[in-house]
Amino acid sequence: MKKSVLLVIKCFMVVGFSKAQITITSADLASPSTIIKLANDTLPSVAVGGSGTNQTWNMAALLQNTYDTLAFLSAGWVPNANFPTANVAVHQGSGDAYGYMISNSDSAVFVGNHATQSYLGTSATVNQLISTDEKIAKFPMNYLDSFTNNYTTYAKFYYGGTVLGYQVDSVRDFATIKKSVVVDGLGSITTPLGTFPAIRTKETKITHDSVDAYIVVIIGAWINAQVTNDTTRNYIWWANGVGY
Protein backbone atom coordinates (compact mmCIF):
# COMPACT_ATOMS: atom_id res chain seq x y z
CA MET A 1 0.00 0.00 0.00
CA LYS A 2 2.78 2.44 0.86
CA LYS A 3 4.35 2.25 -2.57
CA SER A 4 0.99 3.21 -4.07
CA VAL A 5 0.42 6.13 -1.69
CA LEU A 6 3.82 7.70 -2.21
CA LEU A 7 4.17 9.35 -5.56
CA VAL A 8 7.17 8.52 -7.67
CA ILE A 9 7.82 12.20 -8.25
CA LYS A 10 11.55 12.57 -7.72
CA CYS A 11 13.45 11.67 -10.88
CA PHE A 12 16.79 13.22 -11.69
CA MET A 13 18.55 13.92 -15.02
CA VAL A 14 21.91 15.46 -15.80
CA VAL A 15 23.76 17.20 -18.65
CA GLY A 16 27.24 19.08 -19.04
CA PHE A 17 31.23 18.51 -18.98
CA SER A 18 34.22 19.43 -16.74
CA LYS A 19 35.75 18.14 -13.56
CA ALA A 20 36.08 21.57 -11.99
CA GLN A 21 34.04 22.41 -8.92
CA ILE A 22 30.45 23.33 -9.68
CA THR A 23 27.81 24.84 -7.42
CA ILE A 24 24.09 24.07 -7.57
CA THR A 25 21.80 26.97 -6.64
CA SER A 26 18.07 27.63 -6.74
CA ALA A 27 18.57 29.02 -10.26
CA ASP A 28 19.32 25.44 -11.39
CA LEU A 29 15.87 24.23 -10.31
CA ALA A 30 13.14 24.29 -12.94
CA SER A 31 10.84 27.30 -12.83
CA PRO A 32 7.06 27.24 -13.50
CA SER A 33 6.09 26.51 -17.13
CA THR A 34 9.07 24.13 -17.52
CA ILE A 35 8.44 20.59 -18.79
CA ILE A 36 11.13 17.98 -18.19
CA LYS A 37 11.19 14.75 -20.17
CA LEU A 38 12.02 11.61 -18.20
CA ALA A 39 13.43 8.38 -19.57
CA ASN A 40 13.40 5.29 -17.36
CA ASP A 41 15.64 2.24 -17.79
CA THR A 42 13.77 -0.65 -16.14
CA LEU A 43 16.76 -3.05 -16.22
CA PRO A 44 19.84 -0.79 -16.06
CA SER A 45 23.27 -2.29 -16.68
CA VAL A 46 25.26 0.75 -15.49
CA ALA A 47 27.06 1.08 -12.14
CA VAL A 48 26.79 3.98 -9.66
CA GLY A 49 30.59 4.40 -9.68
CA GLY A 50 32.84 5.85 -7.02
CA SER A 51 32.92 8.85 -4.71
CA GLY A 52 35.48 11.65 -4.37
CA THR A 53 36.85 14.20 -6.83
CA ASN A 54 37.76 13.74 -10.50
CA GLN A 55 35.15 11.04 -10.98
CA THR A 56 34.05 9.84 -14.41
CA TRP A 57 30.56 8.33 -14.23
CA ASN A 58 29.55 6.48 -17.39
CA MET A 59 25.78 6.15 -17.86
CA ALA A 60 25.89 6.08 -21.66
CA ALA A 61 24.29 2.61 -21.78
CA LEU A 62 21.04 3.76 -20.14
CA LEU A 63 17.96 2.91 -22.22
CA GLN A 64 14.55 4.53 -22.58
CA ASN A 65 12.23 1.63 -21.71
CA THR A 66 9.45 3.92 -20.48
CA TYR A 67 8.81 7.62 -20.94
CA ASP A 68 7.21 10.25 -18.71
CA THR A 69 7.19 13.99 -18.07
CA LEU A 70 7.37 16.38 -15.12
CA ALA A 71 5.65 19.74 -15.57
CA PHE A 72 6.69 22.47 -13.12
CA LEU A 73 3.76 24.78 -12.37
CA SER A 74 2.97 27.62 -10.03
CA ALA A 75 1.08 26.14 -7.07
CA GLY A 76 -1.56 28.81 -7.61
CA TRP A 77 -2.44 27.28 -10.98
CA VAL A 78 -3.44 23.97 -9.31
CA PRO A 79 -4.35 25.05 -5.75
CA ASN A 80 -4.70 22.46 -3.01
CA ALA A 81 -5.93 23.63 0.41
CA ASN A 82 -3.89 20.87 2.09
CA PHE A 83 -0.63 22.57 1.03
CA PRO A 84 -1.17 26.34 1.51
CA THR A 85 2.54 27.17 1.82
CA ALA A 86 3.61 25.58 -1.50
CA ASN A 87 4.74 27.85 -4.32
CA VAL A 88 5.54 25.14 -6.90
CA ALA A 89 3.52 22.12 -8.04
CA VAL A 90 5.19 19.28 -9.97
CA HIS A 91 2.75 17.39 -12.23
CA GLN A 92 3.78 13.89 -13.23
CA GLY A 93 2.55 12.51 -16.55
CA SER A 94 -0.98 13.22 -17.76
CA GLY A 95 -2.89 11.90 -14.74
CA ASP A 96 -3.88 13.43 -11.42
CA ALA A 97 -0.50 13.24 -9.63
CA TYR A 98 1.14 16.31 -8.10
CA GLY A 99 3.99 16.98 -5.70
CA TYR A 100 3.79 20.31 -3.86
CA MET A 101 7.03 22.16 -3.10
CA ILE A 102 8.48 25.25 -1.49
CA SER A 103 11.37 26.50 -3.60
CA ASN A 104 13.47 29.50 -2.57
CA SER A 105 17.08 30.67 -2.55
CA ASP A 106 17.89 28.53 0.53
CA SER A 107 16.37 25.15 -0.31
CA ALA A 108 13.83 23.03 -2.17
CA VAL A 109 11.43 20.98 -0.02
CA PHE A 110 8.34 18.86 -0.62
CA VAL A 111 5.37 19.64 1.65
CA GLY A 112 3.02 16.99 0.30
CA ASN A 113 1.63 14.93 -2.56
CA HIS A 114 -1.78 14.53 -4.20
CA ALA A 115 -3.01 11.76 -6.48
CA THR A 116 -6.13 9.94 -7.65
CA GLN A 117 -5.14 6.35 -8.32
CA SER A 118 -6.48 2.82 -8.37
CA TYR A 119 -5.75 0.69 -5.29
CA LEU A 120 -6.59 -3.00 -5.71
CA GLY A 121 -9.21 -2.06 -8.28
CA THR A 122 -10.79 0.78 -6.29
CA SER A 123 -10.16 4.43 -7.17
CA ALA A 124 -9.09 6.67 -4.27
CA THR A 125 -8.03 10.30 -3.94
CA VAL A 126 -5.09 10.77 -1.60
CA ASN A 127 -3.52 13.87 -0.07
CA GLN A 128 -0.28 12.95 1.69
CA LEU A 129 0.96 15.53 4.20
CA ILE A 130 4.67 15.85 4.97
CA SER A 131 5.42 17.31 8.39
CA THR A 132 8.66 19.29 8.81
CA ASP A 133 8.92 18.94 5.00
CA GLU A 134 11.20 16.66 3.00
CA LYS A 135 14.31 18.54 1.98
CA ILE A 136 15.43 17.78 -1.57
CA ALA A 137 18.35 20.21 -1.74
CA LYS A 138 20.02 22.89 0.35
CA PHE A 139 21.39 25.82 -1.63
CA PRO A 140 24.09 26.60 -2.54
CA MET A 141 25.15 22.94 -2.87
CA ASN A 142 28.82 22.01 -3.28
CA TYR A 143 31.05 18.95 -3.00
CA LEU A 144 31.23 17.61 0.61
CA ASP A 145 28.13 19.53 1.76
CA SER A 146 25.69 17.50 3.84
CA PHE A 147 22.42 17.72 5.76
CA THR A 148 20.04 15.57 7.82
CA ASN A 149 16.26 15.68 7.56
CA ASN A 150 13.84 13.88 9.91
CA TYR A 151 10.18 14.11 8.87
CA THR A 152 6.84 12.29 8.87
CA THR A 153 4.24 11.58 6.21
CA TYR A 154 0.51 11.07 6.82
CA ALA A 155 -2.40 10.22 4.55
CA LYS A 156 -5.99 9.25 5.39
CA PHE A 157 -8.47 8.58 2.60
CA TYR A 158 -11.80 6.93 1.81
CA TYR A 159 -11.35 3.53 0.18
CA GLY A 160 -14.80 1.90 -0.01
CA GLY A 161 -13.64 -1.47 -1.29
CA THR A 162 -13.25 -5.09 -0.24
CA VAL A 163 -9.89 -6.57 0.73
CA LEU A 164 -9.55 -10.28 1.60
CA GLY A 165 -13.29 -10.47 2.16
CA TYR A 166 -13.44 -7.47 4.51
CA GLN A 167 -15.26 -4.25 3.68
CA VAL A 168 -12.69 -1.48 4.13
CA ASP A 169 -14.16 1.99 4.60
CA SER A 170 -10.94 4.03 4.92
CA VAL A 171 -7.16 3.67 4.94
CA ARG A 172 -4.56 5.71 6.80
CA ASP A 173 -0.80 5.62 6.42
CA PHE A 174 1.79 7.08 8.80
CA ALA A 175 5.56 6.97 8.30
CA THR A 176 8.59 8.39 10.08
CA ILE A 177 11.70 8.93 7.97
CA LYS A 178 15.28 9.67 8.97
CA LYS A 179 17.12 11.05 5.95
CA SER A 180 20.77 11.97 5.51
CA VAL A 181 22.35 13.46 2.40
CA VAL A 182 26.01 14.06 1.56
CA VAL A 183 27.51 15.40 -1.67
CA ASP A 184 30.04 12.59 -2.04
CA GLY A 185 31.29 13.03 -5.60
CA LEU A 186 32.52 15.59 -8.11
CA GLY A 187 33.39 15.00 -11.76
CA SER A 188 31.79 14.39 -15.11
CA ILE A 189 28.89 12.17 -16.08
CA THR A 190 28.13 10.68 -19.49
CA THR A 191 24.51 10.01 -20.42
CA PRO A 192 22.85 9.33 -23.79
CA LEU A 193 22.64 13.15 -24.06
CA GLY A 194 26.39 13.77 -23.74
CA THR A 195 29.10 14.33 -21.12
CA PHE A 196 28.74 17.11 -18.56
CA PRO A 197 29.98 18.42 -15.16
CA ALA A 198 28.10 17.17 -12.13
CA ILE A 199 28.12 16.59 -8.41
CA ARG A 200 26.65 13.44 -6.87
CA THR A 201 24.64 13.16 -3.66
CA LYS A 202 24.29 9.99 -1.62
CA GLU A 203 20.87 9.92 0.05
CA THR A 204 20.05 7.41 2.81
CA LYS A 205 16.52 6.95 4.17
CA ILE A 206 15.48 4.87 7.18
CA THR A 207 11.69 4.47 7.13
CA HIS A 208 9.17 3.08 9.63
CA ASP A 209 5.78 2.81 7.95
CA SER A 210 2.40 1.78 9.39
CA VAL A 211 -0.81 1.23 7.39
CA ASP A 212 -4.21 0.96 9.12
CA ALA A 213 -7.60 -0.01 7.67
CA TYR A 214 -11.05 0.79 9.04
CA ILE A 215 -13.09 -2.44 8.81
CA VAL A 216 -16.83 -1.74 8.62
CA VAL A 217 -18.58 -5.07 9.18
CA ILE A 218 -18.27 -6.93 12.53
CA ILE A 219 -15.14 -5.10 13.71
CA GLY A 220 -16.16 -1.49 13.17
CA ALA A 221 -12.71 -0.19 14.13
CA TRP A 222 -9.22 0.63 12.87
CA ILE A 223 -6.87 -2.34 12.63
CA ASN A 224 -3.21 -2.37 11.72
CA ALA A 225 -2.81 -3.93 8.29
CA GLN A 226 0.92 -3.57 7.72
CA VAL A 227 4.12 -2.38 9.39
CA THR A 228 7.26 -1.99 7.30
CA ASN A 229 10.82 -1.03 8.23
CA ASP A 230 13.12 -0.24 5.35
CA THR A 231 16.44 1.38 4.51
CA THR A 232 17.07 2.74 1.01
CA ARG A 233 20.03 4.49 -0.62
CA ASN A 234 19.79 6.70 -3.69
CA TYR A 235 22.56 8.28 -5.74
CA ILE A 236 21.53 11.51 -7.46
CA TRP A 237 23.51 13.56 -9.96
CA TRP A 238 23.01 17.33 -10.25
CA ALA A 239 24.23 19.67 -12.98
CA ASN A 240 23.88 23.35 -13.79
CA GLY A 241 20.95 24.46 -15.92
CA VAL A 242 19.15 21.10 -16.10
CA GLY A 243 16.10 21.98 -13.98
CA TYR A 244 15.65 18.85 -11.86
Side-chain angles (χ1 to χ4, degrees), residues 9 36 38 67-71 90-98:
I9 207 72
I36 294 188
L38 303 177
Y67 173 83
D68 207 347
T69 60
L70 291 183
V90 186
H91 182 207
Q92 182 179 7
S94 59
D96 182 34
Y98 294 87

Side-chain angles (χ1 to χ4, degrees), residues 137-201:
K138 184 178 180 181
F139 303 126
M141 187 161 60
N142 295 288
Y143 175 59
L144 295 182
D145 285 350
S146 64
F147 64 84
T148 58
N149 178 209
N150 298 333
Y151 61 96
T152 63
T153 66
Y154 179 75
K156 180 182 177 181
F157 57 94
Y158 175 73
Y159 181 75
T162 301
V163 179
L164 298 178
Y166 290 98
Q167 183 65 29
V168 177
D169 177 83
S170 301
V171 173
R172 63 187 181 190
D173 179 276
F174 179 79
T176 59
I177 300 97
K178 294 182 177 180
K179 177 178 176 178
S180 61
V181 175
V182 59
V183 184
D184 77 336
L186 167 68
S188 64
I189 182 166
T190 299
T191 77
L193 297 178
T195 301
F196 309 101
I199 56 175
R200 186 183 77 171
T201 63

Side-chain angles (χ1 to χ4, degrees), residues 2-191:
K2 177 65 175 178
K3 290 184 179 179
S4 297
V5 172
L6 285 176
L7 304 180
V8 183
I9 207 72
K10 292 177 294 181
C11 302
F12 297 84
M13 301 172 68
V14 293
V15 290
F17 176 75
S18 165
K19 295 186 181 178
Q21 171 71 293
I22 67 169
T23 297
I24 301 298
T25 71
S26 59
D28 294 307
L29 192 67
S31 58
S33 298
T34 301
I35 296 178
I36 294 188
K37 299 177 181 179
L38 303 177
N40 180 41
D41 189 333
T42 56
L43 293 171
S45 60
V46 299
V48 297
S51 59
T53 60
N54 296 314
Q55 293 298 311
T56 300
W57 298 292
N58 188 357
M59 307 290 172
L62 287 172
L63 303 176
Q64 181 179 306
N65 297 126
T66 61
Y67 173 83
D68 207 347
T69 60
L70 291 183
F72 282 72
L73 312 169
S74 169
W77 301 345
V78 281
N80 188 313
N82 294 282
F83 317 115
T85 60
N87 61 358
V88 176
V90 186
H91 182 207
Q92 182 179 7
S94 59
D96 182 34
Y98 294 87
Y100 284 83
M101 298 179 64
I102 299 174
S103 176
N104 55 41
S105 59
D106 295 324
S107 63
V109 302
F110 273 99
V111 297
N113 299 305
H114 166 90
T116 300
Q117 297 179 353
S118 177
Y119 299 93
L120 300 177
T122 299
S123 180
T125 298
V126 181
N127 287 294
Q128 182 188 58
L129 309 179
I130 303 177
S131 180
T132 316
D133 306 336
E134 180 185 3
K135 185 175 293 184
I136 305 304
K138 184 178 180 181
F139 303 126
M141 187 161 60
N142 295 288
Y143 175 59
L144 295 182
D145 285 350
S146 64
F147 64 84
T148 58
N149 178 209
N150 298 333
Y151 61 96
T152 63
T153 66
Y154 179 75
K156 180 182 177 181
F157 57 94
Y158 175 73
Y159 181 75
T162 301
V163 179
L164 298 178
Y166 290 98
Q167 183 65 29
V168 177
D169 177 83
S170 301
V171 173
R172 63 187 181 190
D173 179 276
F174 179 79
T176 59
I177 300 97
K178 294 182 177 180
K179 177 178 176 178
S180 61
V181 175
V182 59
V183 184
D184 77 336
L186 167 68
S188 64
I189 182 166
T190 299
T191 77

